[in-house]
Amino acid sequence: MPATLITDPDLPCLGIPRAVALFGEDVDGVGAYNHEVGDLVAVMCGLLGFGALETERWREAAALHDLGKLWITPGILLKRGPLDVAERGTMRDHVVLGYARLRHHDRLAAEMALYHHENHDGTGYPFGLAGEHIPVSAR
């Protein structure tokens, strides 16, 4: 995907301290989900024969896949019940927001963030990629 299609959004990051102030401590372990995704990716890397350093690199990158959610407003992020069409669109933006923030720092994490909602059958987002067109890091 050409980098020119994604610009760095001029949005303030919610950030961890602000998130704790707004949402409270993570007593339900919701934030642990990101680390669990990283752990699952590390298991897959081990099964694929990756070395220890490469496995750790993929684990850390995978744990950042939902970083873009820090730029989603609490009213949408915490909404109980179904999101309307506009809210779903905003929520879907988290993949691009994460990519925009990570692309200058970690190519692998940025790629995972951008493509992790693509589906093998082409019904995912943001690009509707299918099968082999989805980067391995996001499959």
Side-chain angles (χ1 to χ4, degrees), residues 126-137:
F127 305 110
L129 301 179
E132 301 293 316
H133 296 284
I134 302 169
V136 172
S137 63

Side-chain angles (χ1 to χ4, degrees), residues 62-113:
L64 296 172
H65 78 282
D66 269 341
L67 181 79
K69 287 183 178 177
L70 290 173
W71 286 271
I72 302 298
T73 62
I76 293 173
L77 195 61
L78 298 177
K79 182 178 179 181
R80 297 202 184 272
L83 300 174
D84 66 30
V85 173
E87 292 166 335
R88 276 194 307 277
T90 298
M91 191 62 161
R92 286 181 170 203
D93 287 345
H94 84 278
V95 299
V96 175
L97 295 168
Y99 172 81
R101 296 301 181 183
L102 290 166
R103 70 184 176 141
H104 299 296
H105 307 287
D106 186 322
R107 182 203 56 79
L108 180 62
E111 187 176 271
M112 288 178 177

